[in-house]
Amino acid sequence: MLRTVLAKNLAGWEVMEIFANRVNDADRVFMEFVGMISDVLGEDDAPEALRHQVLQLAVIFTCSISQLSPGAYFLRRDLFPCIAKVITSPDTQRFTFEASLLLSILANFHKSDAAKLNPYLQRIRDTQDTELMRKICWATGFALDAAVKAYQEISDDSIPTFAKSVGALFTSLLPDRTLAMQSFDPPREFLKTQPIEATVSLLPVFEFLFFNPLFAQVLVDMIPKPPDSKQSALVPPLAYNIISLSSYVLTHASSSASRRMLAYANLALNTLLVMSENAHIMSVFCKPASSKERLPLLPVPSPTRAPICALLDCCVLWLRHNLHKRLEVYTFTTCIWTCHRVIWYLQKARMRLEYDWLELWKAVVDLLGFLSGKLDSLVTTGGIERLVQESVRLLDLALRGADIFLPAPTAVHEFIYEVVRSSAVIRKQSLLLQSLGQPTAVNRGASLRSDSVSKALSRVLSTAAYYEGKLASADTRSAKDAFRIVSKDIEQNGLHSAHDADDTDPLKHAEDVVSFIRVACADGLALMT
């Protein structure tokens, strides 16, 4: 009955009037309702079935109310202790999925304008309960594994003998299959129901990763060491499942005009960005280990590649598949920030990463070419200038430290040749930025960023011009000749980059995904059937 009544698209005061008979009695009635939920969920002696029913009732109410005023009653009484008890208690831990969903819905109530009044946000920030965090990771791992398998049923990109091999049980848990070996593009109508509603469980994981530093430690601690295969019969570690699911979501995000699918893509990329900005996660992801992926195919990955390669694959897949006139500018910028942060970390750690970097450089250049060529026809809500700026900064960062993080001289040669080959596209960015720039600086930060980008673009173009000069003075008859000349000059004279790498720590760009709450409420409600 509750679901039926609240499905009528009522205003907040109408909900109060219906359930409290009159608005003046709303405080008493709704506080009694919240108190009943708190008492039952926190009562160890209450029957498990009753606690589960009350938990589902709370999820149905909060998802139906969403951001309407009656939801504020849940801020007056802190339900975190009883929700945590449901999650950590052996008798009710199997209800962790619903409990963590309820917690994230409550934490998102009017988050943008009343965050300081929300006790659940503060609790998520402050809790040191690692058992709570492990249980959330455990439940989310199963939910995201189901979401990955739902995509695989539509487009099975698995390596036929890979997961079936008895000797590769542990290896099958690792994110080394982000890029498929088979190509099959399923009809769009098959993807309309993807990702499945259980994917909403990624929201509480994001909330904890974003607000609580301890959660990252718990997340990586749950990745088993190679000799340990005890989890092989269950599901992959949550950290790997996040990457695997992201690869599917980001590949298919624009396959329909679904705002829901794009909202999940934005959540997935923001989760990857938070992970890339966490030094502890990066230290683990950059170690060789061994994503489960899709088309179009990138080169077949090595079975011992580091998990960070799979994360980069996700970024390449987003860049490749989602260049449309209705451009998701913010999500593209988030993707570029993620790549920037990964490369910065590799340079800071002086770590050479075995990866097919050429695919990333081509994807970034294609993005810049698309922006400069299609600007007048793009349908956006703004932000193009920032996207161009961050893309240029990414190329500049990579160029200034190419010989630090690229795995071999050949990778450096390929990168420089791609910059030279794409110099016309890169030069267009100067005119594009001039056309997009404000007549006067909106603020000091924007002015400083614009100046920084101008210098970055100049450095990139200076490098391109140097090697273009070498090619102009040589007898180049083919692309192969041009590549050989560029490679030879680098080998003899070193990389022409007359600028030191920037050691300044970049700003963290991860932001809360406030806009996802509507999708979360809709999917949470759909699950409570």
Side-chain angles (χ1 to χ4, degrees):
M1 184 184 74
L2 179 67
R3 182 201 298 268
T4 303
V5 172
L6 295 178
K8 302 295 184 181
N9 198 26
L10 302 170
W13 67 269
E14 291 176 312
V15 173
M16 294 180 184
E17 195 168 69
I18 290 173
F19 285 93
N21 195 30
R22 55 179 184 170
V23 175
N24 289 342
D25 291 334
D27 281 5
R28 176 183 58 81
V29 171
F30 280 97
M31 287 311 299
E32 288 178 356
F33 175 62
V34 175
M36 179 274 295
I37 293 174
S38 177
D39 293 342
V40 174
L41 292 184
E43 178 54 60
D44 292 331
D45 295 331
E48 295 173 26
L50 176 62
R51 295 173 79 182
H52 190 205
Q53 289 174 341
V54 170
L55 175 60
Q56 290 183 317
L57 176 68
V59 173
I60 291 171
F61 183 83
T62 53
C63 287
S64 299
I65 287 296
S66 187
Q67 304 296 292
L68 295 179
S69 54
Y73 288 108
F74 284 84
L75 304 187
R76 295 190 187 181
R77 180 161 180 173
D78 185 3
L79 300 186
F80 184 88
C82 65
I83 295 174
K85 181 177 286 189
V86 170
I87 293 173
T88 56
S89 172
D91 294 334
T92 55
Q93 63 181 3
R94 63 182 182 277
F95 309 140
T96 295
F97 177 91
E98 294 104 316
S100 60
L101 175 60
L102 174 61
L103 179 58
S104 62
I105 297 297
L106 293 173
N108 275 272
F109 183 77
H110 281 272
K111 184 186 288 186
S112 59
D113 56 4
K116 293 182 179 179
L117 302 176
N118 192 313
Y120 305 101
L121 280 178
Q122 194 61 43
R123 289 287 202 162
I124 290 174
R125 285 191 183 98
D126 296 343
T127 183
Q128 300 292 303
D129 190 342
T130 56
E131 182 63 20
L132 170 72
M133 298 177 190
R134 277 194 292 269
K135 287 295 193 296
I136 291 175
C137 288
W138 167 77
T140 306
F142 278 96
L144 298 192
D145 188 60
V148 169
K149 289 176 178 175
Y151 273 111
Q152 290 172 350
E153 289 177 2
I154 297 173
S155 175
D156 185 6
D157 62 6
S158 61
I159 304 171
T161 61
F162 190 81
K164 297 176 183 177
S165 170
V166 175
L169 283 177
F170 174 74
T171 310
S172 67
L173 300 181
L174 303 175
D176 65 330
R177 296 189 293 159
T178 302
L179 304 166
M181 296 189 67
Q182 303 180 66
S183 176
F184 172 69
D185 198 2
R188 289 185 177 183
E189 58 268 22
F190 291 172
L191 296 166
K192 288 182 178 179
T193 58
Q194 302 300 318
I196 61 173
E197 289 87 351
T199 312
V200 73
S201 61
L202 182 59
L203 179 60
V205 169
F206 173 83
E207 298 289 355
F208 272 90
L209 271 175
F210 184 76
F211 288 108
N212 193 312
L214 182 59
F215 190 81
Q217 175 73 52
V218 173
L219 183 71
V220 297
D221 283 350
M222 295 186 73
I223 299 176
K225 301 298 184 288
D228 182 8
S229 60
K230 292 180 180 179
Q231 285 191 327
S232 59
L234 300 176
V235 297
L238 175 59
Y240 293 170
N241 257 338
I242 290 173
I243 298 176
S244 295
L245 176 65
S246 296
S247 69
Y248 288 104
V249 171
L250 297 173
T251 298
H252 298 298
S254 298
S255 62
S256 69
S258 167
R259 298 308 304 174
R260 173 181 178 273
M261 195 176 291
L262 290 169
Y264 271 108
N266 185 48
L267 175 62
L269 263 174
N270 272 279
T271 304
L272 297 182
L273 176 57
V274 171
M275 294 168 78
S276 71
E277 291 182 344
N278 186 284
H280 188 69
I281 292 177
M282 288 296 291
S283 68
V284 174
F285 272 20
C286 289
K287 295 176 181 177
S290 216
S291 214
K292 196 158 194 106
E293 267 317 275
R294 276 218 19 100
L295 47 329
L297 308 185
L298 295 189
V300 177
S302 161
T304 58
R305 70 204 300 248
I308 195 62
C309 297
L311 190 149
L312 286 171
D313 288 343
C314 291
C315 295
V316 173
L317 288 168
W318 170 263
L319 293 172
R320 277 185 170 186
H321 286 267
N322 299 281
L323 290 175
H324 303 293
K325 289 184 178 180
R326 187 174 293 278
L327 196 69
E328 297 298 314
V329 177
Y330 171 74
T331 311
F332 269 92
T333 304
T334 302
C335 181
I336 294 296
W337 281 335
T338 304
C339 296
H340 187 282
R341 190 73 186 196
V342 170
I343 293 174
W344 173 83
Y345 179 86
L346 292 171
Q347 290 180 353
K348 182 178 181 180
R350 306 194 73 81
M351 186 180 297
R352 298 184 184 275
L353 181 67
E354 286 286 346
Y355 183 68
D356 199 305
W357 289 100
L358 186 57
E359 297 295 332
L360 176 59
W361 312 139
K362 288 180 177 179
V364 174
V365 170
D366 287 347
L367 169 62
L368 291 173
F370 180 84
L371 293 174
S372 58
K374 303 287 186 180
L375 179 63
D376 294 338
S377 60
L378 294 180
V379 180
T380 75
T381 56
I384 294 291
E385 180 183 15
R386 186 68 184 272
L387 176 55
V388 174
Q389 290 176 337
E390 298 303 332
S391 299
V392 168
R393 281 163 44 81
L394 172 62
L395 290 177
D396 177 55
L397 175 75
L399 267 177
R400 295 168 77 180
D403 53 350
I404 298 175
F405 75 96
L406 292 178
T410 301
V412 177
H413 303 164
E414 289 176 342
F415 180 30
I416 300 302
Y417 180 74
E418 183 64 24
V419 170
V420 175
R421 188 187 68 83
S422 309
S423 59
V425 171
I426 298 173
R427 286 191 180 92
K428 289 180 181 179
Q429 306 314 305
S430 180
L431 294 175
L432 180 58
L433 288 171
Q434 289 178 22
S435 67
L436 293 170
Q438 299 295 327
T440 58
V442 176
N443 55 54
R444 177 172 172 78
S447 177
L448 291 174
R449 184 167 62 244
S450 178
D451 182 57
S452 172
V453 171
S454 295
K455 293 178 180 178
L457 183 57
S458 295
R459 287 191 293 266
V460 175
L461 291 176
S462 173
T463 300
Y466 172 83
Y467 291 104
E468 284 178 321
K470 294 293 182 180
L471 295 178
S473 61
D475 184 18
T476 55
R477 299 181 180 181
S478 65
K480 187 176 181 179
D481 287 342
F483 181 78
R484 179 179 52 80
I485 291 170
V486 169
S487 301
K488 184 177 180 180
D489 188 87
I490 295 174
E491 290 175 358
Q492 290 179 345
N493 304 313
L495 180 61
H496 179 79
S497 178
H499 309 280
D500 295 329
D502 188 358
D503 293 330
T504 306
D505 288 8
L507 296 175
K508 289 189 176 182
H509 293 288
E511 297 179 356
D512 203 358
V513 286
V514 177
S515 61
F516 186 75
I517 185 61
R518 291 191 178 185
V519 173
C521 288
D523 281 0
L525 194 59
L527 288 166
M528 297 297 110
T529 55

